[in-house]
Amino acid sequence: MDRRQLLLLTAVAPFGRAFAANEYPAQTIRLIAPYAPGGTVDILSRQLAEPMRSGLGQSVIVENRGGAGGTLGADAVSKSRADGYTVLFGAVHHAIAQSVYPKLTYDIREMTAVGFLGRVNHVLIVNKDLPAKDVAELVILLKENPQKYSYATPGAGTMQHLMAEYFKSVTKTQMMHVPYRGSAPAIVDIIAGNVHMMFETMPSAIQHVRAGSVRALAVTSKQRSTNLPDVPTVSESGAENYDATSWYGIYAPPNTPRDAVNALNKAINSAFQNPEFAKRWVELGADVGGGTPAELDTLTRNEVERWAAIAKSADIKVG
């Protein structure tokens, strides 16, 4: 071997090793939960991190970046390096944000859809001392006292906000909106009686319902929930055709490489194919997820259009 050949091998070999070492994933993955600790997204993110860690063979850390109805965290991810190492625990809230935030600096439809995480029911919870034992009594109470009662949300323009406004429209009632920075502090104030009610997601509400610290009046889906089978739906309680649920998905920055997307999607699907994990997920109040990136992308685009119409009807704008 002459000197020229030796130099060529020396130059090529390190490059080859570097390429192999950098195959995805080669480092810790940050899963951005764009809401405050203690809420549904935080709870589900931390449940998902462990099976994703196992499936990817790399650490997956959950990082809370709450604020502005989940848009601050989503914006940060959208502007992150498109390498698959920073991903968003996205939600229906981000589809809603496209129409309620006029100054939004990202578009969820332009982000890279990775994997669907399932649907989650919502529960109409009230302070346990509220003098209404069902939706019919609540409607009477609100009509008799149009300026007295308030509802909490984890932020203006969130799913909980649109659900409540949708409820007001259907029942022709009035309530005052009290936005919080996340679901957890909102529930604390419902328990304390500082605010009266909330359309909260099942995973963050169910523990308080079971503990008796709040009362569940109805669930928001068309069918009753297996988690709270004795609680009627809003629709069967008099607000006919009322049907609204949250959904979740993992998103990466625009133009994330396909190999990273496929690896992440495979880890997500593998998690839901694990019976023990799927059982825990359902116990938290969520349906089992899974599917292709294309399916999540289609859902996202359809939901942006659906909630834009509802937001326009309720004249909801943020910022």
Side-chain angles (χ1 to χ4, degrees):
M1 181 181 298
D2 61 26
R3 185 171 181 274
R4 182 181 177 183
Q5 291 174 312
L6 181 61
L7 288 172
L8 182 60
L9 285 174
T10 303
V12 171
F15 179 80
R17 286 195 299 270
F19 179 84
N22 287 331
E23 288 182 355
Y24 185 88
Q27 64 189 56
T28 296
I29 297 160
R30 293 190 305 150
L31 176 56
I32 305 301
Y35 295 94
T40 298
V41 168
D42 178 62
I43 293 169
L44 295 179
S45 293
R46 296 182 188 282
Q47 284 292 320
L48 183 64
E50 178 55 38
M52 283 189 67
R53 184 181 300 120
S54 298
L56 293 165
Q58 284 290 344
S59 295
V60 177
I61 60 171
V62 176
E63 181 179 320
N64 293 94
R65 285 200 184 186
T71 63
L72 293 184
D75 182 69
V77 173
S78 74
K79 293 175 172 56
S80 296
R81 188 173 178 178
D83 55 10
Y85 292 107
T86 302
V87 296
L88 173 73
F89 194 110
V92 64
H93 304 286
H94 297 104
I96 292 169
Q98 295 302 144
S99 58
V100 302
Y101 284 83
K103 299 179 181 178
L104 204 63
T105 57
Y106 72 93
D107 190 328
I108 192 66
R109 292 166 292 189
E110 294 177 359
M111 294 180 68
T112 304
V114 174
F116 180 61
L117 302 178
R119 291 185 178 273
V120 169
N121 209 335
H122 284 239
V123 188
L124 171 54
I125 57 173
V126 301
N127 175 269
K128 63 181 181 179
D129 296 322
L130 189 76
K133 300 298 186 292
D134 54 37
V135 170
E137 290 184 5
L138 176 63
V139 170
I140 293 173
L141 196 66
L142 295 175
K143 288 185 175 180
E144 290 178 346
N145 306 274
Q147 305 301 321
K148 183 176 180 180
Y149 294 99
S150 58
Y151 70 90
T153 71
T158 58
M159 180 66 160
Q160 289 91 329
H161 185 187
L162 269 71
M163 278 188 174
E165 291 298 318
Y166 181 28
F167 178 82
K168 285 168 56 179
S169 175
V170 170
T171 58
K172 296 179 173 55
T173 54
Q174 293 297 318
M175 296 181 283
M176 180 177 68
H177 178 209
V178 182
Y180 288 79
R181 286 180 62 87
S183 293
I187 293 175
V188 168
D189 267 9
I190 290 176
I191 294 171
N194 297 324
V195 67
H196 301 98
M197 65 199 79
M198 183 178 188
F199 285 82
E200 185 51 287
T201 53
M202 184 72 73
S204 63
I206 193 167
Q207 58 184 315
H208 302 288
V209 173
R210 289 172 173 166
S213 53
V214 298
R215 187 186 312 127
L217 296 191
V219 294
T220 61
S221 56
K222 280 189 175 181
Q223 290 81 33
R224 293 194 181 197
S225 169
T226 55
N227 295 95
L228 296 172
D230 295 329
V231 178
T233 67
V234 174
S235 181
E236 72 179 281
S237 300
E240 293 185 10
N241 299 318
Y242 188 100
D243 178 29
T245 56
S246 283
W247 52 264
Y248 300 97
I250 296 295
Y251 296 84
N255 303 314
T256 296
R258 186 51 50 184
D259 62 335
V261 173
N262 290 341
L264 288 163
N265 179 264
K266 182 179 179 180
I268 291 167
N269 286 335
S270 294
F272 287 116
Q273 289 163 7
N274 182 309
E276 292 184 7
F277 173 77
K279 180 181 178 181
R280 290 198 306 272
W281 197 257
V282 171
E283 287 173 348
L284 286 170
D287 292 336
V288 172
T292 67
E295 290 169 336
L296 175 59
D297 185 69
T298 298
L299 171 67
T300 303
R301 295 175 186 279
N302 290 341
E303 287 287 271
V304 167
E305 293 184 9
R306 178 195 179 196
W307 290 106
I310 294 173
K312 182 178 181 180
S313 176
D315 193 26
I316 297 175
K317 292 290 182 182
V318 181

